[in-house]
Amino acid sequence: QVQLVESGGGWVQPGGSLKLSCAASGSIFSIYTMGWYRQAPGKQRELVARITTGGITNYADSVKGRFTISRDNAKNTMYLQMNSLKPEDTAVYYCNAPTLVVTTTPTYWGQGTQVTVSS
């Protein structure tokens, strides 16, 4: 059974930082590339960062240089360090395995964690 639990969101002023955590079930974490997604009001959910089981990372242009994705395979936990936050980063952030997002219908999503960037 897939379990995804996101945490660490909150309110922060522009330029601030937050660190998100994702606790995932071991059945998927040990096998799949994992990713952080976000969905802003009125917009589609988008993949902003992903990391392979071996630690290779990839970022959307909108967050490159500001966000850092990492994972602790021993703890089945993934992180997203977000620095220099902008109002346009405001969204609900979710974690998932991109392969499962594409191949599984319906896709299971956790509850997400809200990030609000405003002054």
Side-chain angles (χ1 to χ4, degrees):
Q1 183 177 358
V2 175
Q3 290 186 338
L4 299 165
V5 180
E6 302 91 350
S7 62
W11 173 84
V12 64
Q13 292 185 332
S17 299
L18 283 173
K19 186 173 184 177
L20 308 183
S21 298
C22 165
S25 51
S27 60
I28 67 168
F29 199 85
S30 61
I31 297 173
Y32 292 106
T33 291
M34 296 294 295
W36 281 100
Y37 295 76
R38 68 185 181 187
Q39 187 167 23
K43 296 187 177 181
Q44 288 190 333
R45 195 167 349 217
E46 61 172 341
L47 177 64
V48 296
R50 58 186 173 184
I51 183 168
T52 68
T53 54
I56 297 173
T57 60
N58 184 265
Y59 299 91
D61 288 343
S62 58
V63 307
K64 197 172 295 183
R66 300 187 297 120
F67 290 10
T68 302
I69 189 171
S70 61
R71 64 191 291 166
D72 185 334
N73 291 333
K75 296 181 179 179
N76 293 337
T77 302
M78 180 175 66
Y79 306 96
L80 187 67
Q81 177 67 47
M82 304 186 296
N83 298 328
S84 302
L85 282 161
K86 304 175 180 180
E88 51 263 44
D89 296 318
T90 295
V92 180
Y93 284 71
Y94 302 87
C95 60
N96 215 323
T99 295
L100 295 179
V101 172
V102 172
T103 62
T104 304
T105 303
T107 300
Y108 170 81
W109 294 95
Q111 84 287 350
T113 187
Q114 175 71 48
V115 172
T116 303
V117 185
S118 72
S119 54

Short mmCIF file of all heavy atoms in Angstrom, two decimals, residues 34-103:
data_model
loop_
_atom_site.label_atom_id
_atom_site.label_comp_id
_atom_site.label_asym_id
_atom_site.label_seq_id
_atom_site.Cartn_x
_atom_site.Cartn_y
_atom_site.Cartn_z
N MET A 34 11.92 9.61 -7.12
CA MET A 34 10.88 10.35 -6.40
C MET A 34 10.90 11.81 -6.83
O MET A 34 11.94 12.33 -7.26
CB MET A 34 11.09 10.25 -4.89
CG MET A 34 10.96 8.85 -4.33
SD MET A 34 9.28 8.19 -4.47
CE MET A 34 8.38 9.30 -3.39
N GLY A 35 9.78 12.46 -6.69
CA GLY A 35 9.72 13.85 -7.10
C GLY A 35 8.83 14.70 -6.21
O GLY A 35 7.97 14.17 -5.49
N TRP A 36 9.06 15.99 -6.27
CA TRP A 36 8.19 16.97 -5.61
C TRP A 36 7.37 17.67 -6.68
O TRP A 36 7.91 18.14 -7.69
CB TRP A 36 9.01 18.01 -4.85
CG TRP A 36 9.52 17.52 -3.54
CD1 TRP A 36 10.77 17.07 -3.25
CD2 TRP A 36 8.76 17.45 -2.32
NE1 TRP A 36 10.85 16.70 -1.93
CE2 TRP A 36 9.63 16.93 -1.33
CE3 TRP A 36 7.46 17.77 -1.95
CZ2 TRP A 36 9.23 16.72 -0.01
CZ3 TRP A 36 7.06 17.56 -0.65
CH2 TRP A 36 7.94 17.04 0.32
N TYR A 37 6.08 17.73 -6.44
CA TYR A 37 5.14 18.41 -7.31
C TYR A 37 4.54 19.58 -6.53
O TYR A 37 4.55 19.60 -5.31
CB TYR A 37 4.00 17.47 -7.72
CG TYR A 37 4.41 16.30 -8.56
CD1 TYR A 37 5.04 15.20 -7.99
CD2 TYR A 37 4.13 16.27 -9.93
CE1 TYR A 37 5.41 14.11 -8.76
CE2 TYR A 37 4.49 15.18 -10.71
CZ TYR A 37 5.12 14.11 -10.12
OH TYR A 37 5.48 13.04 -10.89
N ARG A 38 3.96 20.51 -7.28
CA ARG A 38 3.20 21.57 -6.63
C ARG A 38 2.01 21.95 -7.50
O ARG A 38 2.03 21.79 -8.71
CB ARG A 38 4.07 22.80 -6.36
CG ARG A 38 4.53 23.56 -7.58
CD ARG A 38 5.48 24.69 -7.17
NE ARG A 38 5.92 25.47 -8.32
CZ ARG A 38 6.85 26.41 -8.26
NH1 ARG A 38 7.44 26.70 -7.09
NH2 ARG A 38 7.20 27.08 -9.34
N GLN A 39 0.98 22.43 -6.82
CA GLN A 39 -0.22 22.87 -7.52
C GLN A 39 -0.69 24.17 -6.91
O GLN A 39 -1.06 24.23 -5.73
CB GLN A 39 -1.32 21.82 -7.44
CG GLN A 39 -2.53 22.16 -8.28
CD GLN A 39 -3.48 21.00 -8.46
OE1 GLN A 39 -3.50 20.06 -7.66
NE2 GLN A 39 -4.28 21.05 -9.51
N ALA A 40 -0.64 25.21 -7.72
CA ALA A 40 -1.11 26.52 -7.31
C ALA A 40 -2.59 26.64 -7.66
O ALA A 40 -3.09 25.93 -8.55
CB ALA A 40 -0.31 27.61 -8.00
N PRO A 41 -3.32 27.52 -6.98
CA PRO A 41 -4.76 27.68 -7.27
C PRO A 41 -5.00 27.97 -8.74
O PRO A 41 -4.36 28.85 -9.33
CB PRO A 41 -5.15 28.87 -6.39
CG PRO A 41 -4.18 28.85 -5.28
CD PRO A 41 -2.88 28.39 -5.88
N GLY A 42 -5.89 27.21 -9.34
CA GLY A 42 -6.25 27.42 -10.73
C GLY A 42 -5.25 26.92 -11.74
O GLY A 42 -5.41 27.14 -12.95
N LYS A 43 -4.21 26.24 -11.29
CA LYS A 43 -3.19 25.74 -12.20
C LYS A 43 -3.05 24.23 -12.08
O LYS A 43 -3.46 23.62 -11.10
CB LYS A 43 -1.84 26.41 -11.91
CG LYS A 43 -1.82 27.91 -12.16
CD LYS A 43 -0.42 28.47 -12.03
CE LYS A 43 -0.39 29.95 -12.36
NZ LYS A 43 0.99 30.51 -12.25
N GLN A 44 -2.45 23.65 -13.10
CA GLN A 44 -2.22 22.22 -13.08
C GLN A 44 -1.06 21.88 -12.15
O GLN A 44 -0.16 22.70 -11.94
CB GLN A 44 -1.93 21.72 -14.49
CG GLN A 44 -3.14 21.69 -15.41
CD GLN A 44 -2.86 20.96 -16.71
OE1 GLN A 44 -1.73 20.90 -17.18
NE2 GLN A 44 -3.91 20.39 -17.29
N ARG A 45 -1.08 20.68 -11.66
CA ARG A 45 0.03 20.21 -10.83
C ARG A 45 1.27 20.06 -11.72
O ARG A 45 1.19 19.57 -12.85
CB ARG A 45 -0.34 18.87 -10.21
CG ARG A 45 0.55 18.47 -9.08
CD ARG A 45 0.03 17.32 -8.24
NE ARG A 45 -1.33 16.92 -8.45
CZ ARG A 45 -2.12 16.52 -7.46
NH1 ARG A 45 -1.67 16.51 -6.21
NH2 ARG A 45 -3.35 16.12 -7.72
N GLU A 46 2.41 20.51 -11.21
CA GLU A 46 3.64 20.45 -11.98
C GLU A 46 4.75 19.81 -11.16
O GLU A 46 4.82 19.95 -9.93
CB GLU A 46 4.09 21.86 -12.43
CG GLU A 46 4.39 22.81 -11.28
CD GLU A 46 5.01 24.12 -11.74
OE1 GLU A 46 5.54 24.21 -12.86
OE2 GLU A 46 4.98 25.08 -10.93
N LEU A 47 5.64 19.12 -11.87
CA LEU A 47 6.81 18.50 -11.24
C LEU A 47 7.91 19.54 -11.15
O LEU A 47 8.30 20.11 -12.18
CB LEU A 47 7.27 17.29 -12.07
CG LEU A 47 8.51 16.54 -11.61
CD1 LEU A 47 8.29 15.91 -10.25
CD2 LEU A 47 8.89 15.47 -12.64
N VAL A 48 8.42 19.80 -9.96
CA VAL A 48 9.43 20.84 -9.81
C VAL A 48 10.82 20.27 -9.54
O VAL A 48 11.82 20.95 -9.81
CB VAL A 48 9.06 21.84 -8.69
CG1 VAL A 48 7.80 22.58 -9.05
CG2 VAL A 48 8.92 21.16 -7.33
N ALA A 49 10.91 19.06 -9.03
CA ALA A 49 12.22 18.46 -8.76
C ALA A 49 12.07 16.96 -8.64
O ALA A 49 11.02 16.47 -8.20
CB ALA A 49 12.82 19.03 -7.49
N ARG A 50 13.10 16.24 -9.03
CA ARG A 50 13.07 14.79 -8.87
C ARG A 50 14.47 14.29 -8.57
O ARG A 50 15.47 14.96 -8.87
CB ARG A 50 12.51 14.09 -10.11
CG ARG A 50 13.25 14.37 -11.40
CD ARG A 50 12.52 13.74 -12.57
NE ARG A 50 13.11 14.11 -13.84
CZ ARG A 50 12.62 13.76 -15.00
NH1 ARG A 50 11.53 13.02 -15.08
NH2 ARG A 50 13.21 14.14 -16.12
N ILE A 51 14.52 13.10 -7.98
CA ILE A 51 15.80 12.52 -7.58
C ILE A 51 15.73 11.02 -7.76
O ILE A 51 14.76 10.37 -7.35
CB ILE A 51 16.14 12.92 -6.11
CG1 ILE A 51 17.51 12.39 -5.71
CG2 ILE A 51 15.05 12.46 -5.14
CD1 ILE A 51 18.02 12.99 -4.39
N THR A 52 16.74 10.46 -8.38
CA THR A 52 16.78 9.02 -8.59
C THR A 52 17.19 8.31 -7.30
O THR A 52 17.61 8.94 -6.33
CB THR A 52 17.78 8.66 -9.70
OG1 THR A 52 19.12 8.93 -9.22
CG2 THR A 52 17.53 9.46 -10.97
N THR A 53 17.07 7.00 -7.30
CA THR A 53 17.49 6.24 -6.13
C THR A 53 18.98 6.42 -5.87
O THR A 53 19.44 6.32 -4.73
CB THR A 53 17.19 4.75 -6.31
OG1 THR A 53 17.78 4.29 -7.53
CG2 THR A 53 15.68 4.49 -6.36
N GLY A 54 19.74 6.74 -6.90
CA GLY A 54 21.17 6.96 -6.75
C GLY A 54 21.56 8.39 -6.46
O GLY A 54 22.74 8.69 -6.31
N GLY A 55 20.56 9.28 -6.39
CA GLY A 55 20.84 10.66 -6.02
C GLY A 55 21.02 11.65 -7.15
O GLY A 55 21.39 12.81 -6.92
N ILE A 56 20.74 11.25 -8.37
CA ILE A 56 20.82 12.19 -9.49
C ILE A 56 19.57 13.07 -9.47
O ILE A 56 18.46 12.56 -9.36
CB ILE A 56 20.94 11.44 -10.82
CG1 ILE A 56 22.24 10.63 -10.83
CG2 ILE A 56 20.91 12.42 -11.99
CD1 ILE A 56 22.37 9.72 -12.03
N THR A 57 19.78 14.37 -9.57
CA THR A 57 18.68 15.31 -9.43
C THR A 57 18.38 16.06 -10.73
O THR A 57 19.24 16.19 -11.61
CB THR A 57 18.99 16.33 -8.33
OG1 THR A 57 20.19 17.05 -8.68
CG2 THR A 57 19.20 15.66 -6.99
N ASN A 58 17.17 16.56 -10.79
CA ASN A 58 16.72 17.34 -11.94
C ASN A 58 15.69 18.34 -11.45
O ASN A 58 14.86 17.99 -10.60
CB ASN A 58 16.11 16.40 -13.00
CG ASN A 58 15.72 17.15 -14.25
OD1 ASN A 58 14.57 17.55 -14.38
ND2 ASN A 58 16.65 17.34 -15.15
N TYR A 59 15.75 19.57 -11.98
CA TYR A 59 14.87 20.63 -11.50
C TYR A 59 14.17 21.35 -12.65
O TYR A 59 14.72 21.49 -13.74
CB TYR A 59 15.68 21.68 -10.72
CG TYR A 59 16.38 21.12 -9.51
CD1 TYR A 59 17.67 20.64 -9.58
CD2 TYR A 59 15.73 21.10 -8.27
CE1 TYR A 59 18.32 20.12 -8.47
CE2 TYR A 59 16.37 20.59 -7.15
CZ TYR A 59 17.65 20.10 -7.26
OH TYR A 59 18.28 19.60 -6.15
N ALA A 60 12.99 21.82 -12.36
CA ALA A 60 12.31 22.71 -13.29
C ALA A 60 13.08 24.03 -13.32
O ALA A 60 13.67 24.45 -12.32
CB ALA A 60 10.88 22.94 -12.85
N ASP A 61 13.04 24.70 -14.45
CA ASP A 61 13.77 25.96 -14.60
C ASP A 61 13.31 26.99 -13.56
O ASP A 61 14.11 27.80 -13.10
CB ASP A 61 13.57 26.52 -16.00
CG ASP A 61 14.33 25.73 -17.05
OD1 ASP A 61 15.24 24.96 -16.69
OD2 ASP A 61 14.00 25.87 -18.24
N SER A 62 12.05 26.94 -13.19
CA SER A 62 11.51 27.94 -12.27
C SER A 62 12.10 27.86 -10.86
O SER A 62 12.01 28.82 -10.10
CB SER A 62 9.98 27.81 -12.21
OG SER A 62 9.62 26.50 -11.78
N VAL A 63 12.68 26.72 -10.50
CA VAL A 63 13.21 26.56 -9.14
C VAL A 63 14.71 26.28 -9.13
O VAL A 63 15.31 26.23 -8.07
CB VAL A 63 12.47 25.44 -8.37
CG1 VAL A 63 10.97 25.68 -8.40
CG2 VAL A 63 12.81 24.06 -8.93
N LYS A 64 15.28 26.11 -10.30
CA LYS A 64 16.70 25.76 -10.37
C LYS A 64 17.55 26.83 -9.69
O LYS A 64 17.35 28.03 -9.90
CB LYS A 64 17.10 25.61 -11.84
CG LYS A 64 18.39 24.87 -12.09
CD LYS A 64 18.59 24.62 -13.59
CE LYS A 64 17.53 23.69 -14.15
NZ LYS A 64 17.75 23.39 -15.58
N GLY A 65 18.48 26.38 -8.85
CA GLY A 65 19.35 27.31 -8.13
C GLY A 65 18.78 27.78 -6.81
O GLY A 65 19.50 28.38 -6.00
N ARG A 66 17.50 27.52 -6.58
CA ARG A 66 16.87 27.95 -5.33
C ARG A 66 16.42 26.76 -4.48
O ARG A 66 16.43 26.84 -3.25
CB ARG A 66 15.66 28.83 -5.62
CG ARG A 66 15.98 30.09 -6.40
CD ARG A 66 14.76 31.01 -6.50
NE ARG A 66 13.66 30.39 -7.23
CZ ARG A 66 12.45 30.18 -6.71
NH1 ARG A 66 12.20 30.53 -5.45
NH2 ARG A 66 11.49 29.63 -7.44
N PHE A 67 16.00 25.69 -5.12
CA PHE A 67 15.51 24.50 -4.42
C PHE A 67 16.54 23.39 -4.51
O PHE A 67 17.24 23.25 -5.52
CB PHE A 67 14.21 23.99 -5.04
CG PHE A 67 13.00 24.87 -4.82
CD1 PHE A 67 13.11 26.15 -4.29
CD2 PHE A 67 11.74 24.40 -5.15
CE1 PHE A 67 11.99 26.95 -4.10
CE2 PHE A 67 10.60 25.18 -4.96
CZ PHE A 67 10.75 26.46 -4.44
N THR A 68 16.62 22.58 -3.45
CA THR A 68 17.50 21.42 -3.43
C THR A 68 16.73 20.21 -2.94
O THR A 68 16.17 20.23 -1.84
CB THR A 68 18.71 21.65 -2.53
OG1 THR A 68 19.44 22.80 -2.97
CG2 THR A 68 19.64 20.44 -2.57
N ILE A 69 16.69 19.18 -3.77
CA ILE A 69 16.02 17.95 -3.40
C ILE A 69 17.05 16.95 -2.89
O ILE A 69 18.18 16.90 -3.38
CB ILE A 69 15.24 17.37 -4.62
CG1 ILE A 69 14.35 16.20 -4.20
CG2 ILE A 69 16.19 16.98 -5.74
CD1 ILE A 69 13.41 15.73 -5.32
N SER A 70 16.66 16.18 -1.89
CA SER A 70 17.55 15.15 -1.35
C SER A 70 16.71 14.01 -0.81
O SER A 70 15.49 14.14 -0.65
CB SER A 70 18.45 15.72 -0.25
OG SER A 70 17.68 16.21 0.83
N ARG A 71 17.35 12.90 -0.55
CA ARG A 71 16.63 11.75 -0.01
C ARG A 71 17.52 10.97 0.94
O ARG A 71 18.74 10.93 0.77
CB ARG A 71 16.12 10.84 -1.13
CG ARG A 71 17.18 10.19 -1.97
CD ARG A 71 16.57 9.53 -3.22
NE ARG A 71 15.75 8.38 -2.91
CZ ARG A 71 14.90 7.80 -3.78
NH1 ARG A 71 14.76 8.30 -5.00
NH2 ARG A 71 14.21 6.74 -3.42
N ASP A 72 16.87 10.37 1.92
CA ASP A 72 17.55 9.49 2.87
C ASP A 72 16.94 8.11 2.69
O ASP A 72 15.84 7.84 3.20
CB ASP A 72 17.37 10.00 4.30
CG ASP A 72 18.14 9.19 5.33
OD1 ASP A 72 18.41 8.00 5.07
OD2 ASP A 72 18.46 9.74 6.38
N ASN A 73 17.59 7.26 1.93
CA ASN A 73 17.02 5.96 1.61
C ASN A 73 16.83 5.08 2.84
O ASN A 73 15.93 4.24 2.87
CB ASN A 73 17.89 5.24 0.58
CG ASN A 73 17.85 5.92 -0.78
OD1 ASN A 73 16.86 6.57 -1.13
ND2 ASN A 73 18.91 5.78 -1.56
N ALA A 74 17.65 5.27 3.85
CA ALA A 74 17.53 4.46 5.07
C ALA A 74 16.26 4.81 5.83
O ALA A 74 15.71 3.97 6.56
CB ALA A 74 18.74 4.66 5.96
N LYS A 75 15.79 6.05 5.67
CA LYS A 75 14.60 6.51 6.39
C LYS A 75 13.37 6.59 5.49
O LYS A 75 12.30 7.01 5.95
CB LYS A 75 14.86 7.88 7.01
CG LYS A 75 15.95 7.89 8.08
CD LYS A 75 16.12 9.29 8.66
CE LYS A 75 17.18 9.30 9.75
NZ LYS A 75 17.37 10.67 10.33
N ASN A 76 13.52 6.22 4.22
CA ASN A 76 12.41 6.34 3.27
C ASN A 76 11.82 7.75 3.28
O ASN A 76 10.60 7.94 3.24
CB ASN A 76 11.30 5.32 3.58
CG ASN A 76 11.76 3.89 3.35
OD1 ASN A 76 12.70 3.63 2.60
ND2 ASN A 76 11.10 2.96 4.00
N THR A 77 12.70 8.72 3.34
CA THR A 77 12.28 10.12 3.44
C THR A 77 12.98 10.97 2.40
O THR A 77 14.18 10.78 2.13
CB THR A 77 12.57 10.67 4.85
OG1 THR A 77 11.90 9.86 5.82
CG2 THR A 77 12.08 12.10 4.99
N MET A 78 12.24 11.89 1.84
CA MET A 78 12.76 12.82 0.84
C MET A 78 12.55 14.23 1.35
O MET A 78 11.60 14.49 2.11
CB MET A 78 12.02 12.62 -0.48
CG MET A 78 12.47 13.53 -1.60
SD MET A 78 11.65 13.10 -3.16
CE MET A 78 9.94 13.50 -2.78
N TYR A 79 13.41 15.14 0.93
CA TYR A 79 13.35 16.51 1.40
C TYR A 79 13.37 17.49 0.23
O TYR A 79 13.84 17.16 -0.86
CB TYR A 79 14.55 16.82 2.31
CG TYR A 79 14.70 15.85 3.46
CD1 TYR A 79 15.56 14.77 3.36
CD2 TYR A 79 13.95 16.02 4.62
CE1 TYR A 79 15.69 13.86 4.40
CE2 TYR A 79 14.08 15.11 5.67
CZ TYR A 79 14.95 14.05 5.56
OH TYR A 79 15.07 13.15 6.59
N LEU A 80 12.88 18.69 0.48
CA LEU A 80 12.99 19.77 -0.48
C LEU A 80 13.36 21.03 0.30
O LEU A 80 12.53 21.58 1.02
CB LEU A 80 11.70 19.99 -1.26
CG LEU A 80 11.80 21.00 -2.39
CD1 LEU A 80 12.71 20.47 -3.50
CD2 LEU A 80 10.42 21.34 -2.97
N GLN A 81 14.61 21.44 0.18
CA GLN A 81 15.06 22.69 0.77
C GLN A 81 14.74 23.81 -0.21
O GLN A 81 15.23 23.79 -1.34
CB GLN A 81 16.56 22.63 1.06
CG GLN A 81 17.12 23.93 1.61
CD GLN A 81 16.60 24.25 3.00
OE1 GLN A 81 16.57 23.40 3.88
NE2 GLN A 81 16.17 25.50 3.19
N MET A 82 13.95 24.76 0.23
CA MET A 82 13.51 25.85 -0.64
C MET A 82 14.07 27.16 -0.10
O MET A 82 13.73 27.56 1.03
CB MET A 82 11.98 25.90 -0.70
CG MET A 82 11.36 24.59 -1.14
SD MET A 82 9.57 24.71 -1.37
CE MET A 82 9.05 25.07 0.31
N ASN A 83 14.91 27.79 -0.87
CA ASN A 83 15.50 29.07 -0.50
C ASN A 83 15.06 30.16 -1.46
O ASN A 83 14.57 29.88 -2.56
CB ASN A 83 17.03 28.97 -0.51
CG ASN A 83 17.57 27.95 0.49
OD1 ASN A 83 16.99 27.74 1.55
ND2 ASN A 83 18.67 27.32 0.14
N SER A 84 15.26 31.40 -1.07
CA SER A 84 14.91 32.55 -1.91
C SER A 84 13.50 32.42 -2.45
O SER A 84 13.25 32.60 -3.65
CB SER A 84 15.92 32.67 -3.06
OG SER A 84 17.24 32.82 -2.57
N LEU A 85 12.59 32.11 -1.57
CA LEU A 85 11.21 31.86 -2.00
C LEU A 85 10.56 33.11 -2.57
O LEU A 85 10.82 34.24 -2.11
CB LEU A 85 10.40 31.31 -0.83
CG LEU A 85 10.66 29.83 -0.55
CD1 LEU A 85 10.20 29.45 0.85
CD2 LEU A 85 9.96 28.96 -1.58
N LYS A 86 9.70 32.89 -3.56
CA LYS A 86 8.99 33.96 -4.25
C LYS A 86 7.49 33.75 -4.09
O LYS A 86 7.05 32.61 -3.87
CB LYS A 86 9.34 33.94 -5.74
CG LYS A 86 10.82 34.03 -6.04
CD LYS A 86 11.06 33.88 -7.53
CE LYS A 86 12.54 33.96 -7.87
NZ LYS A 86 12.79 33.81 -9.33
N PRO A 87 6.71 34.79 -4.22
CA PRO A 87 5.24 34.62 -4.14
C PRO A 87 4.72 33.58 -5.12
O PRO A 87 3.76 32.86 -4.80
CB PRO A 87 4.73 36.02 -4.47
CG PRO A 87 5.81 36.94 -3.98
CD PRO A 87 7.08 36.21 -4.30
N GLU A 88 5.34 33.46 -6.27
CA GLU A 88 4.88 32.48 -7.26
C GLU A 88 5.19 31.04 -6.87
O GLU A 88 4.76 30.11 -7.55
CB GLU A 88 5.47 32.77 -8.65
CG GLU A 88 6.96 32.97 -8.67
CD GLU A 88 7.35 34.45 -8.63
OE1 GLU A 88 6.76 35.20 -7.82
OE2 GLU A 88 8.27 34.84 -9.39
N ASP A 89 5.92 30.84 -5.77
CA ASP A 89 6.14 29.49 -5.24
C ASP A 89 4.97 29.04 -4.37
O ASP A 89 4.94 27.87 -3.95
CB ASP A 89 7.43 29.43 -4.42
CG ASP A 89 8.68 29.69 -5.25
OD1 ASP A 89 8.75 29.15 -6.38
OD2 ASP A 89 9.56 30.41 -4.77
N THR A 90 4.04 29.93 -4.11
CA THR A 90 2.89 29.58 -3.30
C THR A 90 2.08 28.47 -3.98
O THR A 90 1.68 28.61 -5.13
CB THR A 90 1.99 30.80 -3.09
OG1 THR A 90 2.71 31.77 -2.31
CG2 THR A 90 0.70 30.43 -2.36
N ALA A 91 1.87 27.39 -3.25
CA ALA A 91 1.18 26.22 -3.80
C ALA A 91 1.07 25.16 -2.72
O ALA A 91 1.68 25.27 -1.66
CB ALA A 91 1.95 25.66 -5.01
N VAL A 92 0.30 24.14 -3.03
CA VAL A 92 0.33 22.92 -2.22
C VAL A 92 1.38 22.00 -2.83
O VAL A 92 1.37 21.76 -4.04
CB VAL A 92 -1.04 22.23 -2.19
CG1 VAL A 92 -0.96 20.95 -1.33
CG2 VAL A 92 -2.10 23.16 -1.64
N TYR A 93 2.28 21.53 -2.01
CA TYR A 93 3.38 20.70 -2.47
C TYR A 93 3.10 19.23 -2.12
O TYR A 93 2.70 18.91 -1.00
CB TYR A 93 4.69 21.15 -1.84
CG TYR A 93 5.23 22.41 -2.48
CD1 TYR A 93 4.59 23.64 -2.28
CD2 TYR A 93 6.35 22.39 -3.31
CE1 TYR A 93 5.07 24.80 -2.88
CE2 TYR A 93 6.84 23.53 -3.91
CZ TYR A 93 6.19 24.74 -3.69
OH TYR A 93 6.65 25.88 -4.30
N TYR A 94 3.35 18.37 -3.10
CA TYR A 94 3.13 16.94 -2.95
C TYR A 94 4.38 16.18 -3.35
O TYR A 94 5.17 16.65 -4.18
CB TYR A 94 2.01 16.47 -3.89
CG TYR A 94 0.68 17.15 -3.71
CD1 TYR A 94 0.38 18.33 -4.39
CD2 TYR A 94 -0.31 16.59 -2.91
CE1 TYR A 94 -0.85 18.94 -4.25
CE2 TYR A 94 -1.55 17.19 -2.76
CZ TYR A 94 -1.81 18.37 -3.44
OH TYR A 94 -3.03 18.98 -3.30
N CYS A 95 4.53 14.99 -2.81
CA CYS A 95 5.60 14.12 -3.28
C CYS A 95 4.96 12.88 -3.93
O CYS A 95 3.83 12.50 -3.62
CB CYS A 95 6.53 13.70 -2.15
SG CYS A 95 5.75 12.80 -0.79
N ASN A 96 5.70 12.29 -4.84
CA ASN A 96 5.23 11.08 -5.50
C ASN A 96 6.35 10.51 -6.36
O ASN A 96 7.42 11.12 -6.49
CB ASN A 96 4.00 11.37 -6.37
CG ASN A 96 3.02 10.21 -6.38
OD1 ASN A 96 3.40 9.05 -6.37
ND2 ASN A 96 1.74 10.53 -6.39
N ALA A 97 6.11 9.37 -6.91
CA ALA A 97 7.04 8.77 -7.86
C ALA A 97 6.54 9.08 -9.26
O ALA A 97 5.43 8.65 -9.63
CB ALA A 97 7.11 7.27 -7.64
N PRO A 98 7.28 9.80 -10.06
CA PRO A 98 6.81 10.19 -11.39
C PRO A 98 6.34 9.01 -12.24
O PRO A 98 5.38 9.13 -13.00
CB PRO A 98 8.03 10.89 -11.99
CG PRO A 98 8.72 11.50 -10.82
CD PRO A 98 8.55 10.47 -9.73
N THR A 99 7.01 7.88 -12.10
CA THR A 99 6.59 6.72 -12.88
C THR A 99 5.18 6.29 -12.50
O THR A 99 4.37 5.96 -13.36
CB THR A 99 7.56 5.54 -12.66
OG1 THR A 99 8.84 5.90 -13.17
CG2 THR A 99 7.07 4.28 -13.36
N LEU A 100 4.88 6.31 -11.21
CA LEU A 100 3.55 5.93 -10.76
C LEU A 100 2.51 6.96 -11.16
O LEU A 100 1.36 6.61 -11.48
CB LEU A 100 3.54 5.73 -9.24
CG LEU A 100 4.39 4.58 -8.72
CD1 LEU A 100 4.30 4.51 -7.21
CD2 LEU A 100 3.98 3.27 -9.35
N VAL A 101 2.89 8.22 -11.17
CA VAL A 101 1.96 9.27 -11.58
C VAL A 101 1.51 9.03 -13.01
O VAL A 101 0.34 9.21 -13.35
CB VAL A 101 2.61 10.65 -11.42
CG1 VAL A 101 1.72 11.74 -12.03
CG2 VAL A 101 2.87 10.96 -9.96
N VAL A 102 2.43 8.62 -13.85
CA VAL A 102 2.13 8.43 -15.27
C VAL A 102 1.40 7.13 -15.54
O VAL A 102 0.54 7.06 -16.41
CB VAL A 102 3.44 8.49 -16.09
CG1 VAL A 102 3.20 8.10 -17.54
CG2 VAL A 102 4.06 9.87 -16.01
N THR A 103 1.71 6.08 -14.77
CA THR A 103 1.22 4.75 -15.12
C THR A 103 0.07 4.25 -14.27
O THR A 103 -0.53 3.22 -14.60
CB THR A 103 2.36 3.72 -15.02
OG1 THR A 103 2.83 3.67 -13.65
CG2 THR A 103 3.51 4.08 -15.93
#
